[in-house]
Amino acid sequence: MSLLRVEKLDLRYGDSQVLWAIDLAVEEGRISALVGANGAGKTTLMRAIAGLVRPSAGRISFGGEDLARVPAETRVRRGIALVPEGRRLFAGLSVRENLMLGAHVRTDRSAVADDLSKIFALFPELEKLSGQIAGTMSGGQQQMCAVGRALMARPRLLLIDEMSLGLAPVVVDRIAMALKSVNAEDGITMLLVEQDVELALEIASHATVMDTGRVVLDGPSTALIDDPKIREAYMGLAA
Amino acid sequence: MFAQTFVNGLLLGGVYGVATIGFSMVWGVMGIINLAHGAYIMMGAYFSYMLASRLGIDPFVSMPLVMAALFCVGFTVQHLLLNPVMRTSVLLTLAMTFGLELFLVDLFVALFTSDIRSVNTSYSSQALAVGPVLISYVRLAAALLSLTLAAFLYLVLTRTRLGQAILATALDREAARLMGIFPERIYNYTAGIGAALAGAAGSLASTLFPISPGLGNSFIGAVFVITVLGGIGSVTGAVAAGFVYALIQSFAASYLGVNYQEIVAFGLFLAILIVRPQGLFGKRFFGEV
Ligand SMILES: Nc1ncnc2c1ncn2[C@@H]1O[C@H](COP(=O)(O)OP(=O)(O)OP(=O)(O)O)[C@@H](O)[C@H]1O
Ligand SMILES: [Mg+2]
């Protein structure tokens, strides 16, 4: 069964419509990717799933339940965590404070402490920098902190908007590895927005391609990677 | 005279700090300039006065009660009046709190008349003599209590779940929502805490100054100056700037005359704003990295 299902979703900002009849399904336990050119509407779709913007038509359901009347704050409690575009760490607070805010909705204190050690094991520099003011860290460290913060909610579905943007390849590899291991070990389902299509198809088992507010392609990564349209349009390779 | 002036300023500084922290925090967290903050201070003073004159409870003892009452006032005003207005425009809150200030002051004129009242305690006029310097017990207690309250609030913000949620909401409201924090609930608590601190300041003021419905007005100017000097939203900044302001005022009053105390304090305020618009300590809230 799909953990997340988006059906015929329209979304408009004022007079301009930016999402048109989006259909998307994310299967439980999988890593899926959402790719597409700048302005395609990927961020808007992620924000709609997290509950930060309201669709004008269509339906989003999570674990079989309609989310229409569920505010963003409650969606975290249901198990949807978003690493937003631009990371949006609490810049003036320490790394540890940021991570603990990720667990704000949880009351299981000892499990939270365990999860904090897990994050520190996943990204050891976060433990070393735990007292550091988050806004003063490098981009890669901030991204690790943002991913860690979202994981601290112990989500069922982790949404990441722009995992690799502006980061050094080594850092990207490490975060990708970490996500894969979290997915494999804890069974956390993921939906990643990624502008590096090659990377996206490598990490994810399934991908959806968007263009100017519409879904134009959708399928298993293995099929998409050989698709001549994809190779030409997004990977800069000859078909 | 120098030493006495210095001590007077120092003792008053703490009260100014407490009068400011709530105002500064509300401004820093929600972007609301609460013009009714002075009225909250005035209400705190009247509550203390009532409890002292009717029930004989010392203002220092009744302070937690006064703070709890003002917490409820601040919380309710935020919930019923300000949150709905903020959904359309934060700027409109300025008009709203201005109206609230006028309403509350007039209400207290109607209830208590404009007559000046005061709380007299057995120790009101007693003082500790240190060499040539007299330290009034009331002022000393007020100063120490002020510092305690400031330290307590600082701990609440940095060590508790609510405090962290307040800081997170202040720094990035939308990211806070993603953490499951309901911003409007946080605003209610922030406004409640801000009003409770105003109540505490009023409580302390009732032991130091004559009480009238205009009491808040004599504070709000200082509160404004200290907020900006200390950095908007900064607890430690407000306390430090409270001392700076009180010292300046105290020296201006004793060397130039009482008429000059405010002129000098505000003049310096304008000068500092031009030279250091980010405040004396250069740190606005927790957001500055
Ligand atoms: N708050 C907003 N108000 C109006 N239009 C918006 C708003 N946010 C985004 N848009 C528009 O919606 C469209 C989709 O933007 P969105 O940010 O979702 O795209 P994206 O696929 O995430 O792009 P990128 O790869 O650049 O991050 C764009 O045309 C954008 O200009
Ligand atoms: Mg985007």
Side-chain angles (χ1 to χ4, degrees):
Chain A
M1 196 194 80
S2 314
L3 179 60
L4 175 77
R5 187 174 282 279
V6 176
E7 293 160 279
K8 296 263 167 300
L9 196 85
D10 289 347
L11 194 145
R12 38 178 68 246
Y13 288 119
D15 288 341
S16 63
Q17 183 157 354
V18 293
L19 296 182
W20 305 77
I22 301 288
D23 282 312
L24 176 84
V26 177
E27 299 305 313
E28 178 123 47
R30 280 205 195 150
I31 301 183
S32 301
L34 186 60
V35 299
N38 283 359
K42 308 176 298 289
T43 296
T44 304
L45 179 55
M46 296 293 252
R47 289 168 59 81
I49 297 168
L52 295 175
V53 285
R54 214 176 248 281
S56 41
R59 194 178 126 91
I60 302 172
S61 55
F62 181 68
E65 281 180 73
D66 188 358
L67 290 181
R69 292 177 181 285
V70 182
E73 295 88 339
T74 309
R75 292 188 195 192
V76 199
R77 290 169 169 84
R78 300 270 179 95
I80 301 178
L82 168 66
V83 177
E85 192 172 51
R87 302 189 267 274
R88 306 281 287 271
L89 289 177
F90 300 109
L93 299 181
S94 72
V95 169
R96 176 184 292 270
E97 288 172 320
N98 269 278
L99 293 173
M100 290 310 287
L101 275 160
H104 181 82
V105 296
R106 296 173 58 184
T107 48
D108 47 341
R109 282 175 159 238
S110 66
V112 168
D114 288 349
D115 284 352
L116 187 64
S117 345
K118 261 196 208 165
I119 306 285
F120 284 157
L122 210 54
F123 302 119
E125 49 267 80
L126 291 184
E127 181 162 26
K128 281 195 219 98
L129 298 169
S130 68
Q132 178 129 349
I133 298 302
T136 62
M137 298 193 300
S138 74
Q141 291 162 344
Q142 289 195 24
Q143 184 69 309
M144 291 177 196
C145 187
V147 170
R149 183 179 71 175
L151 286 172
M152 285 299 289
R154 208 178 249 200
R156 289 172 71 193
L157 173 66
L158 177 66
L159 306 168
I160 304 185
D161 197 349
E162 302 288 11
M163 185 194 78
S164 72
L165 192 68
L167 302 183
V170 257
V171 179
V172 174
D173 281 350
R174 284 201 42 214
I175 296 177
M177 294 266 288
L179 292 176
K180 277 186 180 172
S181 85
V182 168
N183 169 258
E185 281 163 33
D186 303 323
I188 295 178
T189 310
M190 299 181 187
L191 176 60
L192 315 176
V193 166
E194 179 51 59
Q195 22 90 38
D196 179 344
V197 175
E198 234 178 312
L199 175 71
L201 295 179
E202 189 189 308
I203 306 173
S205 61
H206 192 98
T208 301
V209 183
M210 284 178 72
D211 192 18
T212 54
R214 291 182 173 81
V215 170
V216 291
L217 263 177
D218 184 88
S221 302
T222 44
L224 292 182
I225 213 159
D226 294 324
D227 190 302
K229 276 187 291 184
I230 293 273
R231 292 178 71 87
E232 201 174 353
Y234 299 103
M235 293 160 69
L237 301 173
Chain B
M1 168 138 144
F2 181 87
Q4 184 68 53
T5 305
F6 187 77
V7 166
N8 286 349
L10 216 53
L11 292 180
L12 209 51
V15 178
Y16 278 144
V18 169
T20 304
I21 294 170
F23 177 82
S24 181
M25 192 173 133
V26 163
W27 188 349
V29 171
M30 305 189 253
I32 290 182
I33 298 175
N34 180 20
L35 295 176
H37 191 77
Y40 288 169
I41 296 176
M42 177 272 295
M43 285 168 74
Y46 271 98
F47 284 159
S48 299
Y49 163 76
M50 292 290 286
L51 290 167
S53 65
R54 299 278 160 87
L55 303 173
I57 308 174
D58 188 288
F60 287 116
V61 177
S62 67
M63 199 159 95
L65 217 63
V66 172
M67 288 178 72
L70 264 297
F71 178 92
C72 296
V73 171
F75 188 102
T76 310
V77 164
Q78 182 69 35
H79 183 64
L80 294 182
L81 301 179
L82 293 171
N83 280 341
V85 169
M86 280 176 84
R87 277 172 226 147
T88 31
S89 152
V90 176
L91 259 186
L92 267 182
T93 59
L94 204 62
M96 187 120 223
T97 60
F98 183 60
L100 186 64
E101 157 88 16
L102 295 176
F103 170 80
L104 290 173
V105 171
D106 285 340
L107 181 70
F108 275 68
V109 170
L111 291 176
F112 291 91
T113 74
S114 303
D115 293 352
I116 287 174
R117 292 156 204 276
S118 57
V119 176
N120 285 305
T121 51
S122 54
Y123 47 79
S124 277
S125 54
Q126 291 180 30
L128 179 72
V130 182
V133 179
L134 287 178
I135 302 175
S136 132
Y137 282 125
V138 181
R139 291 189 174 223
L140 184 62
L144 293 177
L145 254 172
S146 299
L147 289 178
T148 311
L149 277 173
F152 181 72
L153 181 71
Y154 187 78
L155 288 178
V156 167
L157 285 178
T158 53
R159 299 285 156 83
T160 68
R161 190 167 168 271
L162 173 65
Q164 290 287 300
I166 290 175
L167 294 181
T169 307
L171 291 170
D172 188 333
R173 180 189 152 110
E174 194 174 80
R177 296 188 63 199
L178 291 173
M179 307 296 111
I181 297 164
F182 288 91
E184 292 195 347
R185 282 189 206 165
I186 294 303
Y187 290 169
N188 292 344
Y189 283 108
T190 306
I193 294 171
L197 287 164
S203 225
L204 297 172
S206 76
T207 64
L208 304 174
F209 306 115
I211 302 163
S212 75
L215 177 76
N217 284 336
S218 56
F219 269 96
I220 198 75
V223 162
F224 231 105
V225 175
I226 295 164
T227 298
V228 176
L229 286 185
I232 295 159
S234 166
V235 175
T236 46
V239 173
F243 285 112
V244 171
Y245 180 88
L247 284 171
I248 292 171
Q249 202 191 41
S250 180
F251 276 103
S254 63
Y255 288 96
L256 298 173
V258 178
N259 289 339
Y260 283 92
Q261 62 175 30
E262 241 111 73
I263 295 175
V264 171
F266 284 101
L268 237 97
F269 164 65
L270 293 177
I272 290 174
L273 266 189
I274 292 165
V275 184
R276 281 187 71 79
Q278 66 278 57
L280 268 190
F281 313 104
K283 200 172 170 184
R284 275 169 69 107
F285 205 51
F286 286 74
E288 301 273 295
V289 180

